[in-house]
Amino acid sequence: MFEQVKKFVRAFHIPSAEELEREYLNGAANRVDLEFRQRQVDRGMFRRQAW
């Protein structure tokens, strides 16, 4: 029963900014792509901006 609840909760998990950044960086095809992606992350691509 508890396993079903855990599966249900995981199905509606909203990834954090850190998780999104990590997934984006892990998708880099090569070193140049990784460096480009790191610069985008450093600029706040996945961070919410407070207006």
Side-chain angles (χ1 to χ4, degrees), residues 13-23 46-48:
H13 172 73
I14 299 172
S16 66
E18 292 83 14
E19 291 170 332
L20 292 172
E21 290 171 353
R22 188 177 314 113
E23 285 295 317
F46 293 96
R47 303 292 172 172
R48 295 177 195 249

Side-chain angles (χ1 to χ4, degrees), residues 3-42:
E3 286 297 318
Q4 292 175 342
V5 173
K6 285 171 56 176
K7 287 180 185 179
F8 181 76
V9 170
R10 276 190 224 130
F12 292 102
H13 172 73
I14 299 172
S16 66
E18 292 83 14
E19 291 170 332
L20 292 172
E21 290 171 353
R22 188 177 314 113
E23 285 295 317
Y24 181 66
L25 293 175
N26 286 338
N30 55 41
R31 184 181 58 97
V32 175
D33 187 24
L34 177 61
E35 290 173 353
F36 174 76
R37 290 173 185 237
Q38 285 175 326
R39 284 191 301 273
Q40 287 183 313
V41 168
D42 288 343

